[in-house]
């Protein structure tokens, strides 16, 4: 059985934390030290995936690392109320998890040859880097990404496994990003972890000679992580800042290791998107579309860094898909007002992007740019063709774009039907409120 911390598990952990704190302190519920409980919950949210990745490096097994992680947090919930939270809680959790794993191996020793048990325990206890690790990044989550993105796994499986194991996204969140049924994703993840275990896929960053060939999947993973944080697939809030920051951090680490134009471009793209985060929602948490955002609150520092990175990547003469997407974001970022955006240049960049990556979602984005450049009728024709072909019939943004074009053309009945269809496909609450406002305004 394979396990991963999902949102449900996190809720259970919080409940267990409260119960264990009562037991540890022998206090009635009304005197429970809630600030300490909140601190432990925050440490779980911020550190659990880092601790998990390190435990995988030490233990060499997903299941053993997951069990050790849960045991470590259980020990923390029992001991920290009495002893206080350590100065370095992540290191404490790694150490506790490692020793809990060793204890578990010893308890099961009667079913295993003694020499095998001793060898396993010795390997777990030794944290000294091997000599050939001199060029590897000292970041276990990045190592875990490369393990999950091993070429022996299918591309979609690589991304799903990484989003689940590195970032702790639920199966439902990943399925939403993939436009794939959740049960299909769950089976894919289980099979992938079994293959990693059976094939003894190494837990390491590949050497420099192998690294370029392995980057494409890793970059896709990082960008999907960022997108989940920048526009959450479901829930009460539009964004998850922690995920976006994690993706940016991982991209910076990759750039230090291998300053390739596409890594630079991906970092630029994420920084330019991130620069608009504050303006994307109102004080009440409602979605604010790009053309209505207060551009004075865009982060000028992130824009300057992002634009400089785009220029550096394009000057290399090896522009790829992320370079073109970053260039599109740079055009938006440099427009002081929405009505002076150079939509003609954006359409041209999308034309080039479609040649490199002819996907329905990019075609949809191009259709929106065409509508802004040539008028809503031109964009509507393109979107309706995409929906009619079946590529985006279950993608809410396609129906939302269709509804917006009908609204701008005065087609009230058609706009209403498209908004209703988009609402039926939307799980993100601020997006639903935005669509409902547009739908109500039609009346």
């Amino acid at each position: 059985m394979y396990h991963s911390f999902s949102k449900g598990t996190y809720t259970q952990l919080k409940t267990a934390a409260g119960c264990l704190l009562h037991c540890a302190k022998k206090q009635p519920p009304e005197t429970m030290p809630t600030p300490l409980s909140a601190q432990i919950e925050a440490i779980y949210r911020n550190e659990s995936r880092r601790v998990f990745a390190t435990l995988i490096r030490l233990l060499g097994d997903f299941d053993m690392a997951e069990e050790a992680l849960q045991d470590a947090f259980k020990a923390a919930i029992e001991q920290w109320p009495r002893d206080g939270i350590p100065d370095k809680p992540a290191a404490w959790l790694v150490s506790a998890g490692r020793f809990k794993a060793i204890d578990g191996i010893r308890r099961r020793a009667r079913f295993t040859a003694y020499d095998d048990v001793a060898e396993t325990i010795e390997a777990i206890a030794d944290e000294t880097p091997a000599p050939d690790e001199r060029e590897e990044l000292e970041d276990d989550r990045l190592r875990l990404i490369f393990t999950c993105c091993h070429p022996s796994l299918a591309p979609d499986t690589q991304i799903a496994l990484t989003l689940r194991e590195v970032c702790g996204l639920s199966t439902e969140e990943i399925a939403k990003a993939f436009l794939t049924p959740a049960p299909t994703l769950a089976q894919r993840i289980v099979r992938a972890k079994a293959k990693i275990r059976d094939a003894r896929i190494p837990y390491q960053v590949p050497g420099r000679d192998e690294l370029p060939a392995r980057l494409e999947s890793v970059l896709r993973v990082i960008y999907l992580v960022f997108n989940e944080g920048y526009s959450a697939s479901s829930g009460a809030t539009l964004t998850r800042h922690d995920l976006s920051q994690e993706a940016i951090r991982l991209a910076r680490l990759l750039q230090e290791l291998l300053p390739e134009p596409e890594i630079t471009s991906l970092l630029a793209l994420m920084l330019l998107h991130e620069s608009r985060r504050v303006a994307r929602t109102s004080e009440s948490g409602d979605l604010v579309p790009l053309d209505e955002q207060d551009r004075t609150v865009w982060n000028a520092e992130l824009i300057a860094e992002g634009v400089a990175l785009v220029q550096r990547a394009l000057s290399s003469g090896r522009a790829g898909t992320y370079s073109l997407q970053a260039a599109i974001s740079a055009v938006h970022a440099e427009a002081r007002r929405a009505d002076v955006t150079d939509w003609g240049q954006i359409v041209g960049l999308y034309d080039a992007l479609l040649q490199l990556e002819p996907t329905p979602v990019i075609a949809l984005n191009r259709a929106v740019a065409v509508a802004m450049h040539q008028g809503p009728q031109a964009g509507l024709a393109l979107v309706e063709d995409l929906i009619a072909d079946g590529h985006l019939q279950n993608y809410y943004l396609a129906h939302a774009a269709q509804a917006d074009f009908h609204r701008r053309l005065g087609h009230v009945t058609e706009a209403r039907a498209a908004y209703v269809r988009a609402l039926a496909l939307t799980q993100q609450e601020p997006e639903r409120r935005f669509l409902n406002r547009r739908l109500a305004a039609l009346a």
Side-chain angles (χ1 to χ4, degrees):
M1 183 70 179
Y2 293 90
H3 304 281
S4 180
F5 276 111
S6 63
K7 288 181 177 177
T9 306
Y10 174 53
T11 301
Q12 295 171 4
L13 177 68
K14 291 203 297 184
T15 303
C19 295
L20 286 170
L21 283 171
H22 289 315
C23 295
K25 300 295 286 184
K26 293 185 169 57
Q27 293 177 336
E30 61 270 16
T31 60
M32 186 185 77
T34 52
L36 180 60
S37 178
Q39 283 183 277
I40 294 175
E41 292 171 16
I43 291 170
Y44 171 79
R45 287 193 303 270
N46 298 329
E47 303 291 348
S48 63
R49 304 322 294 179
R50 179 182 293 108
V51 172
F52 176 60
T54 299
L55 287 171
I56 290 179
R57 172 169 61 83
L58 298 177
L59 305 177
D61 181 87
F62 278 88
D63 290 341
M64 191 182 298
E66 189 66 53
E67 183 178 355
L69 177 65
Q70 296 186 46
D71 287 343
F73 270 98
K74 181 179 179 181
I77 292 168
E78 293 170 342
Q79 297 179 36
W80 290 357
R82 180 185 67 242
D83 303 334
I85 296 177
D87 293 337
K88 297 181 179 179
W92 189 99
L93 290 164
V94 169
S95 179
R98 184 174 70 252
F99 284 116
K100 291 289 185 181
I102 291 173
D103 288 343
I105 292 171
R106 285 173 174 157
R107 286 195 303 270
R108 296 187 291 269
R110 64 182 182 273
F111 303 111
T112 310
Y114 176 79
D115 290 342
D116 292 342
V117 172
E119 183 179 348
T120 300
I121 291 176
E122 183 180 357
I124 291 174
D126 184 7
E127 296 186 66
T128 304
D132 60 355
E133 290 180 338
R134 61 187 181 277
E135 291 188 345
E136 293 180 5
L137 289 176
E138 295 301 321
D139 186 278
D140 287 322
R141 279 173 293 182
L142 196 56
R143 292 177 184 178
L144 182 55
I145 284 180
F146 275 98
T147 302
C148 294
C149 295
H150 195 272
S152 64
L153 303 175
D156 285 349
T157 299
Q158 296 171 13
I159 299 170
L161 183 64
T162 306
L163 290 172
R164 182 65 180 268
E165 300 304 328
V166 179
C167 301
L169 299 190
S170 69
T171 301
E172 291 74 18
E173 289 170 327
I174 304 168
K176 180 67 175 179
F178 277 160
L179 307 180
T180 304
T184 302
L185 258 297
Q187 293 174 3
R188 191 177 298 167
I189 290 170
V190 168
R191 288 194 298 266
K193 290 199 286 189
K195 186 168 187 176
I196 289 173
R197 180 196 63 218
D198 297 340
R200 298 182 181 276
I201 290 175
Y203 179 78
Q204 62 186 24
V205 176
R208 290 190 179 276
D209 56 336
E210 302 175 33
L211 198 53
R214 298 275 300 277
L215 271 177
E216 182 179 355
S217 295
V218 173
L219 293 180
R220 289 177 65 201
V221 167
I222 292 175
Y223 194 33
L224 275 176
V225 173
F226 177 83
N227 280 333
E228 181 62 29
Y230 187 69
S231 183
S233 58
S234 62
T237 58
L238 184 67
T239 65
R240 297 174 60 178
H241 185 63
D242 56 332
L243 289 178
S244 297
Q245 289 302 303
E246 173 69 4
I248 291 172
R249 192 191 69 84
L250 291 173
R252 290 192 188 279
L253 285 171
L254 268 180
Q255 189 186 38
E256 292 175 8
L257 178 68
L258 188 69
E260 285 289 314
E262 279 298 85
I263 301 176
T264 301
S265 298
L266 176 58
L267 177 58
L269 176 61
M270 294 189 296
L271 292 175
L272 290 167
H273 282 324
E274 186 69 13
S275 71
R276 302 196 296 265
R277 178 184 292 273
V278 174
R280 294 184 67 231
T281 55
S282 66
E283 292 183 359
S284 60
D286 288 326
L287 172 67
V288 180
L290 180 63
D291 60 342
E292 298 177 15
Q293 290 177 12
D294 179 2
R295 302 191 176 207
T296 63
V297 301
W298 285 4
N299 190 312
E301 184 177 343
L302 292 181
I303 290 174
E305 183 182 1
V307 170
L309 290 172
V310 171
Q311 293 171 344
R312 184 197 307 175
L314 293 176
S315 66
S316 70
R318 292 183 289 149
T321 57
Y322 293 114
S323 303
L324 293 170
Q325 291 180 70
I328 292 168
S329 291
V331 175
H332 283 297
E334 292 181 315
R336 297 299 184 107
R337 302 190 317 275
D339 60 357
V340 298
T341 303
D342 190 345
W343 288 105
Q345 184 179 0
I346 290 176
V347 171
L349 289 167
Y350 272 122
D351 289 340
L353 183 58
L354 268 176
Q355 293 182 12
L356 292 179
E357 192 172 344
T359 67
V361 172
I362 291 177
L364 173 63
N365 291 334
R366 179 185 177 276
V368 173
V370 168
M372 298 302 296
H373 183 50
Q374 300 178 14
Q377 188 62 55
L380 179 62
L382 295 172
V383 171
E384 290 189 335
D385 284 345
L386 288 169
I387 295 174
D389 288 344
H391 295 305
L392 298 175
Q393 61 182 356
N394 292 321
Y395 189 46
Y396 83 95
L397 287 176
H399 296 280
Q402 182 186 37
D404 186 61
F405 297 154
H406 278 304
R407 176 186 65 83
R408 289 161 59 187
L409 290 166
H411 305 162
V412 176
T413 301
E414 293 85 349
R416 182 177 292 112
Y419 277 129
V420 169
R421 177 60 176 160
L423 277 165
L425 296 169
T426 305
Q427 299 182 34
Q428 222 285 329
E429 192 55 38
E431 293 274 9
R432 293 184 61 82
R433 293 199 299 269
F434 174 78
L435 293 173
N436 273 314
R437 289 198 304 273
R438 284 290 170 90
L439 182 59
L442 291 175

